[in-house]
Amino acid sequence: MDRGGAGSATLLRKRSLSVNTTASAAAAAIDQIGSMQAGGVAAAVGEEPVSPTGRLFREPHFRCHIVSVFGLGAPVDLPALRAVVAATLARHPRFCSVQVLNELEKDARPKWVRTAVNVDDHVIVPELDPAATSADPDKVLEDYVSSLSTRPMDHSRPLWEVHVLDFPTAEAAAAVALRVHHSVGDGVSMLSLFMACTRSAADPGALPSLPPVRRRVGPVYEVRRRPLSLSSAAGALDALAALAVWLLSFLVLAWHTVVDVVCFFATAVSLLGDAPTVLKGKEGTEFEPRRFVNRTLSLDDIKYVKNAMSCTVNDVLLGITSSALSRYYFGEQVKATALASMMESSKDNGARWGNKLGYMLIPFHLAKRDDPVEYVRTATKVARRKKSSMESVFTFWSGDMVLKLFGIKAAAALCYGMFTHTTLSFSNMVGPTEQVLFCGNPIIYIAPGIYGHPHALTVHYQSYMNSVKLVLSVDEAQFPDSHQLLDDFAESLRLIRKAASGKPAGETQDAASRVPVEHT
């Protein structure tokens, strides 16, 4: 179990995170923070308990960390970067706190305790071989970021690091990698904080814009409201019809939720589970090194398929994933047949901070199909079915209840069972729709990943401007050909995009299996 040290006794004064991220303003903020520390200024900041999900990420089988790589359009101005980090990240409550556990106290729970932050401890500039970075900079970047999964973090300090990789690659002039312990916050929290540290490239004085949030109008159907005249028979019939539709919608929602929750817990306690395949992690995969590989996909192509199929972007991404996994799976089956004998012998940015995670078990169908758009059609059906269920809400709520009633060990065992009896993790996050600046430097791409959980494969999509960055986190031992898997994703999108132009209807399914996965 990870245990945080007590840290420094000096506490930073609590302030709202509203800063000017220009270098001069950031430098002034550093001076101000430094004078506060030098003068021994200590505000009476109360200790804050670590959230239930945050406590889960302290358990041995869930040493989860988030690693996000940001490609930059120009070389890194290191003094300016340190200044901005000090004025933004280092002032956030979670980024200037350590986790403290009083082991002498019975049933002690870890707490966040404020401490002084030395930015130089958290901004890391590695010494890399200049010859290697010149010969194959993309491999050096990939190798370095992947190596972070093997390096423990110092829990006597706030649990975050910024790694500066100031050399050009095929996509960017430089890169920075942000590594954060998952107990600090979830992906949405991290992205919201990061967005508060950036500015719009079109208007450096403004925050970047995100796509508008679409309101979900109901679990299954939207009932159009119109004025009713209850004095007439027609008005009464309209009212009864509306009530009947609402009641049917509620019953469908309740039934789907019950079925999904029963399946979820049956999976967690091993009554249900995936059979071993080349995609499913082996026991102990959460402790193995991870490799992070990524590929840029065209958001325009994805939206073209979305419009042609009358579905959502997420449905298209699910379809692409199903197609790519099928291509990889059946390709590996061919290899396995040829090499059978060898095979005998892994609160401060306008959003609520923390880990707000719910899960859905999504069946991915592994199949050979003549019509590539059938992967999207199938994914759309699955997604629409899942949207008429409150599975993710219930799993979030039930996790807290299990922890409160039976303790952290029981909650961890339940969550571990869910992971080990499923095959992979899938997530999708929406990013800025315009180019943004960090320290005045244009961001070219955003590539977040995760490691430390019991899946050998995690698929993550991150949109930014007119592109989608596909990031795979893989167990190196189980996926030595991870770039081939990336190629399968890119080829799947190409084929689906091409087929969507004509939308052929035929299908031939040679083999199929259901692969339930965890969805955050």
Side-chain angles (χ1 to χ4, degrees), residues 156-497:
S156 67
R157 297 197 292 247
L159 300 175
W160 59 277
E161 301 166 348
V162 176
H163 297 258
V164 180
L165 302 159
D166 195 15
F167 55 88
T169 59
E171 289 190 87
V176 295
L178 173 65
R179 181 168 71 145
V180 184
H181 196 278
H182 213 319
S183 62
V184 174
D186 58 24
V188 174
S189 297
M190 296 302 164
L191 184 62
S192 64
L193 176 60
F194 177 75
M195 289 301 98
C197 301
T198 64
R199 292 297 180 265
S200 167
D203 181 5
L207 289 171
S209 59
L210 293 170
V213 177
R214 298 198 312 176
R215 184 177 63 91
R216 187 172 294 178
V217 295
V220 182
Y221 308 106
E222 178 182 4
V223 179
R224 294 185 179 277
R225 297 182 179 179
R226 58 181 178 179
L228 298 179
S229 175
L230 297 181
S231 60
S232 66
L237 289 175
D238 282 347
L240 288 175
L243 179 62
V245 171
W246 178 86
L247 182 60
L248 176 62
S249 177
F250 178 79
L251 290 175
V252 169
L253 175 69
W255 173 248
H256 285 171
T257 301
V258 170
V259 171
D260 290 344
V261 168
V262 169
C263 290
F264 181 91
F265 279 101
T267 302
V269 299
S270 76
L271 296 177
L272 295 175
D274 291 348
T277 67
V278 295
L279 302 172
K280 193 172 187 294
K282 299 176 177 60
E283 183 178 358
T285 188
E286 62 270 24
F287 302 113
E288 296 300 322
R290 283 297 190 271
R291 178 155 293 271
F292 300 99
V293 295
N294 66 76
R295 183 71 57 84
T296 301
L297 306 178
S298 168
L299 184 57
D300 289 339
D301 285 348
I302 293 169
K303 287 183 176 180
Y304 180 92
V305 177
K306 173 187 79 78
N307 295 331
M309 301 295 296
S310 299
C311 59
T312 69
V313 167
N314 200 61
D315 296 341
V316 178
L317 296 180
L318 286 171
I320 293 170
T321 302
S322 181
S323 173
L325 295 179
S326 296
R327 291 177 62 87
Y328 186 84
Y329 174 80
F330 287 108
E332 290 299 305
Q333 288 292 92
V334 172
K335 295 178 186 177
T337 302
L339 303 173
S341 60
M342 294 179 62
M343 295 299 288
E344 294 266 352
S345 63
S346 147
K347 315 174 189 174
D348 279 304
N349 292 317
R352 296 181 63 189
W353 189 265
N355 286 280
K356 309 296 181 182
L357 301 178
Y359 300 90
M360 291 190 294
L361 296 182
I362 301 179
F364 276 71
H365 298 266
L366 301 180
K368 292 181 178 179
R369 303 184 187 275
D370 286 344
D371 183 0
V373 297
E374 281 300 321
Y375 291 107
V376 179
R377 289 194 183 103
T378 302
T380 301
K381 292 177 183 177
V382 170
R384 287 175 179 171
R385 160 64 180 81
K386 285 294 181 177
K387 289 173 185 176
S388 65
S389 169
M390 298 184 69
E391 178 183 4
S392 60
V393 176
F394 188 88
T395 54
F396 170 72
W397 171 81
S398 63
D400 281 352
M401 291 300 297
V402 170
L403 189 148
K404 291 175 182 176
L405 293 175
F406 303 105
I408 187 64
K409 297 299 181 183
L414 184 69
C415 192
Y416 184 72
M418 184 272 295
F419 274 90
T420 55
H421 294 111
T422 54
T423 298
L424 58 97
S425 303
F426 174 96
S427 65
N428 173 29
M429 287 183 60
V430 178
T433 57
E434 59 177 333
Q435 188 167 65
V436 299
L437 304 175
F438 179 64
C439 304
N441 198 330
I443 292 179
I444 305 302
Y445 65 82
I446 304 173
I450 185 175
Y451 70 89
H453 58 298
H455 274 156
L457 171 63
T458 297
V459 179
H460 184 85
Y461 292 97
Q462 174 69 62
S463 68
Y464 175 53
M465 294 194 294
N466 61 344
S467 67
V468 172
K469 181 64 82 170
L470 163 68
V471 184
L472 303 180
S473 171
V474 302
D475 182 333
E476 286 191 282
Q478 191 163 339
F479 292 90
D481 53 352
S482 54
H483 287 274
Q484 174 59 53
L485 184 53
L486 279 180
D487 292 340
D488 289 333
F489 275 85
E491 180 66 5
S492 293
L493 173 58
R494 188 189 70 81
L495 293 174
I496 291 172
R497 168 66 172 81

Side-chain angles (χ1 to χ4, degrees), residues 1-23:
M1 179 182 292
D2 297 329
R3 293 184 173 90
S8 171
T10 304
L11 303 179
L12 299 183
R13 188 180 302 276
K14 187 174 182 180
R15 293 183 168 190
S16 60
L17 185 63
S18 176
V19 297
N20 184 336
T21 57
T22 61

